[in-house]
Amino acid sequence: MTDSALGRTPARTYLGSNRDSSRQHNLSTVLQLVHSTGGISRAQLTRTTGLNRSTIAALVGELSQLGLAVESDLDPAQQHGRPSIMIEPSPAALALAVNPDVDVVSVALVSLGGHIVNTVRFHTVRAPSGVEVVNIVSAIYAGMRTSLPDGHRVMGVGLAIPGLVRPDDGTVIDAPHLGWQDEPLSSRLGEAMGLPVFTANDAVVGARAQAAFGAGRGVADLVYLYGGASGIGGGVISDGRLIRGATGFAGQLGHTHVRTGGAACTCGSFGCLEAEVTRAALIEAVGLPSGEIEDLEEALLEKLRDGSANERLRSVIQQQIGLLAVGLKSVMSLINPSVVVLGGFLRILVRAAPGALEEALAGSGTRGPWENVRIELAPLGDDPILIGAAELVFEPLLADPAGFLQRPAAQ
């Protein structure tokens, strides 16, 4: 992901070039700005890129012909001077986002600009196999296609996996909660759907979404922690760039050690953050039936509001907040972020006990990199994961719009 895709523009540096040889770069730059802002005026494009008005008009015209941008009403924020037309991402340029987990397969159509068009969550009674995921996604997509707009184009499939993914071919090396090892889901799904498939760890793509559109927008140093049925994953943005590591496995923050002699973890160690801080413990303490798990946050907060929360529930919340703080202190010491975004069930802990996490981070009052870190909550649900999965598809499109679209269109 480029710096501009993360919402960071170098100070006093124009993004565009007026040389004809830079047309591909300029087309990419304009589309990235339209995509990341969700809509930008021609005047703003001219100011940001440093390109002249006629060049911007030509580039916007080309993006419109490619079906990637649309011109809409005049900029309502402009109060002086000649009114400027707004350029928005085309709602017909789509990615199919997929996130399989131990109890649900989430599928969404996402348009340029990070807008979710349609979401379906297919609940399962057990962790699905790779073949079952392919069948589920294929059936859901077949139903979604009936309501797609005229002239639509699905650019590919973004696959967010709760496990380790090999970057070069998308093979799921290990997804212990799903029971997968060396699972070629990416190639299977691509063959079944006739679309290119782009695959990455779910928390990593969640970090991308937060950096592009969410609480981490414009933040140079960000940590995103997501808690789901499969444990806790993380993604790290440092100096405006997603940290990938030597083999693409960076960000496994759920395996940060938080408790000596603690619970066994799927990684083979003991006392890891994801082994100690779990969604299952909260569900059990709330006493929530399996069919109502999606209502966990509201059910837990309601018990706290009406006074029906028992000592067991309060103890679990307190213990998990304390251990989360231990893990975050380690992460903050290593990475020194300015913002930490908590998603999934982790946001429940913050809402259940306002101020408790910050108090636990302060600890004995010792100075440290956690002093000025801002804690933000990701939106309720899995939307950041799905939006981030779509970003996997859009990344090569944004880099070379015309070249990407020379590939055969999906049927």
Side-chain angles (χ1 to χ4, degrees), residues 367-409:
R367 307 295 296 272
W370 46 84
E371 283 184 287
N372 299 311
V373 178
R374 191 171 81 247
I375 305 294
E376 297 281 355
L377 302 185
L380 181 63
D382 299 324
D383 289 355
I385 302 295
L386 295 171
I387 291 173
E391 286 295 286
L392 296 175
V393 178
F394 291 141
E395 184 173 22
L397 172 70
L398 295 170
D400 182 11
F404 185 90
L405 292 180
Q406 288 176 358
R407 303 176 183 182

Side-chain angles (χ1 to χ4, degrees), residues 172 183 232 307 342 370 390 393 408:
V172 181
E183 168 59 51
I232 295 175
L342 300 178
W370 46 84
V393 178

